Amino acid sequence: MIDLLALTQKLVEIPSPTKQEKEVADFIETWLRSNLPGVPFSRTRNNIMVCPPQQEGRPVIGLFGHIDTVPADPNQPVGVKEDKLYGCGTSDMKSGDAVMLGLLTEYSQLGANVVAVFYDCEEGPDVDNGLHTVMPLLPHLDFALVMEPTNNNIMAGCMGGLHAVVTVDGKRAHSAKPWQGQNAIFRALPLLAKLRDMPRREVNVSGLTFYEVMSPTMARTQNAANVVPDHFELNINSRYAPNRTDADALAELNKLVGDVAKIRVRDVAPPGEVCISHPFIQSWIDRCALKVEPKQAWTDLARLTAHGIPTVNFGPGNPDRCHQADEWMEIKNLKECYDLLKVFFNEVCPSVTL
């Protein structure tokens, strides 16, 4: 077994904020050539798909890990301290990438076939996501695991996300004579109050509780400092459960806004299916007493389930440390994740008839 901690630390030491993933992709490519000589892989942009030789009659399992991170906080600590590894990307999700690489070194001894995808631009707008390039190239997959941080629990499904620019209009005026205009910021206050007072909404899907929320996340005007603004823009982010559609979310936003403002949808990421009834997952839960939780965020699980690939989130990172100024992961989670995946590949997959 390879040194998962050293490999994770090396990946973390290579900065790879979204759209700057070339260096870490180069490292992964070099690592593959050195540690898996002759194993076929392809690279498109900074997306790498590894397809070891397949054994007939065995299920094909896809492992997916993004290689980009959010920009690191300037004061982010890096390195090992006590039982934790610190650094941007430790939890989200270079620890998962390291586990994927480790499993690839044992592909010929696994009880199921494996396909591994390392991809870029997950943390940015959907239009740039590397899986748009990879999806048409994928072989048939019977099941997939997205190695997002879950603390080695199964996180099923994922929330949908809609970003919309909501523009409230007013009337421009000199700030010394505001009575001559109509301040767009003040006109937006009732809408902001509605958003402030909107409680989270519990939605049960397959026995899991998801929380639907709607939040203003950005606000701006485009006027000089001595001008009463005639436009006030809000970015509103709606998060909706796996049993709802993009159209449902937009209809709710339209009802909330009414005729107070104009709405322009800027980004939509549909929710992902909850796949915990799949026989692979039921068997894995029974064998390893795995905890099952809902994914209260969006992941590329949604993209895979939309293509008919049953998928769950499962990875060694800590979901509560993602995007934090002092991101870290528990070192013990690396081997634990690796061992649990070995059970999945060697005991669960061969024993289940699809």
Side-chain angles (χ1 to χ4, degrees):
M1 178 176 164
I2 66 170
D3 188 336
L4 293 174
L5 175 58
L7 182 54
T8 302
Q9 190 163 3
K10 179 58 181 176
L11 291 168
V12 169
E13 288 171 352
I14 303 172
S16 58
T18 303
K19 295 193 175 182
Q20 298 178 44
E21 302 96 338
K22 183 180 184 303
E23 185 180 356
V24 76
D26 290 346
F27 171 82
I28 292 171
E29 180 174 345
T30 300
W31 190 96
L32 290 169
R33 293 188 189 281
S34 175
N35 291 273
L36 294 167
V39 171
F41 70 88
S42 60
R43 178 170 174 176
T44 307
R45 205 168 70 185
N46 294 314
N47 306 299
I48 298 173
M49 181 166 65
V50 189
C51 294
Q54 307 286 287
Q55 299 187 52
E56 190 174 349
R58 295 185 175 185
V60 184
I61 309 299
L63 300 176
F64 291 80
H66 66 79
I67 59 175
D68 63 322
T69 71
V70 296
D73 184 272
N75 298 314
Q76 168 73 59
V78 178
V80 174
K81 184 178 180 181
E82 296 176 349
D83 58 350
K84 298 180 178 67
L85 174 63
Y86 287 80
C88 183
T90 47
S91 275
D92 191 14
M93 56 173 289
K94 290 182 176 179
S95 53
D97 295 328
V99 170
M100 288 170 58
L101 290 169
L103 280 171
L104 283 171
T105 65
E106 299 191 43
Y107 75 88
S108 62
Q109 286 82 48
L110 296 177
N113 296 312
V114 60
V115 173
V117 176
F118 304 88
Y119 62 102
D120 64 8
C121 293
E122 189 272 348
E123 298 288 6
D126 176 71
V127 67
D128 296 323
N129 189 301
L131 283 190
H132 285 300
T133 300
V134 174
M135 292 299 295
L137 308 176
L138 284 175
H140 168 78
L141 299 178
D142 293 295
F143 198 82
L145 299 163
V146 178
M147 303 290 290
E148 289 280 1
T150 69
N151 260 340
N152 294 336
N153 301 317
I154 291 171
M155 286 192 171
C158 72
M159 300 291 283
L162 180 148
H163 285 276
V165 177
V166 175
T167 304
V168 179
D169 292 328
K171 181 181 177 183
R172 180 180 168 121
H174 196 294
S175 61
K177 299 179 180 179
W179 59 86
Q180 294 180 342
Q182 190 174 30
N183 195 313
I185 297 174
F186 292 155
R187 290 202 69 226
L189 290 177
L191 174 59
L192 287 167
K194 287 183 184 179
L195 290 165
R196 179 198 63 203
D197 297 337
M198 182 180 294
R200 68 181 187 180
R201 182 169 57 218
E202 291 189 9
V203 180
N204 186 286
V205 181
S206 299
L208 300 176
T209 300
F210 294 83
Y211 294 100
E212 294 190 325
V213 292
M214 194 180 296
S215 305
T217 57
M218 300 171 69
R220 69 168 186 167
T221 63
Q222 298 183 14
N223 50 284
N226 59 349
V227 173
V228 169
D230 55 355
H231 300 290
F232 182 55
E233 290 183 356
L234 290 169
N235 185 86
I236 296 181
N237 182 207
S238 172
R239 299 290 177 134
Y240 44 103
N243 63 348
R244 296 224 297 155
T245 67
D246 304 337
D248 293 333
L250 182 57
E252 182 179 20
L253 179 60
N254 274 307
K255 182 178 180 180
L256 179 79
V257 171
D259 58 3
V260 171
K262 297 174 288 189
I263 297 173
R264 175 176 62 83
V265 175
R266 57 182 293 196
D267 191 41
V268 179
E273 183 181 349
V274 174
C275 298
I276 54 175
S277 62
H278 192 280
F280 280 164
I281 292 304
Q282 286 299 308
S283 178
W284 201 19
I285 292 169
D286 292 343
R287 287 172 185 259
C288 299
L290 293 173
K291 183 179 179 181
V292 181
E293 302 174 355
K295 184 62 179 179
Q296 182 61 31
W298 188 89
T299 78
D300 278 305
L301 171 149
R303 198 181 312 280
L304 296 168
T305 60
H307 281 77
I309 304 170
T311 307
V312 295
N313 302 289
F314 181 81
N318 185 328
D320 292 332
R321 303 314 305 169
C322 298
H323 305 185
Q324 297 290 327
D326 62 341
E327 185 177 349
W328 51 260
M329 66 155 302
E330 292 184 90
I331 294 170
K332 67 178 180 61
N333 279 12
L334 286 166
K335 186 176 186 304
E336 181 182 277
C337 180
Y338 193 87
D339 290 344
L340 287 168
L341 286 172
K342 290 286 289 292
V343 173
F344 179 80
F345 275 90
N346 292 334
E347 298 180 29
V348 171
C349 292
S351 68
V352 172
T353 302
L354 296 178

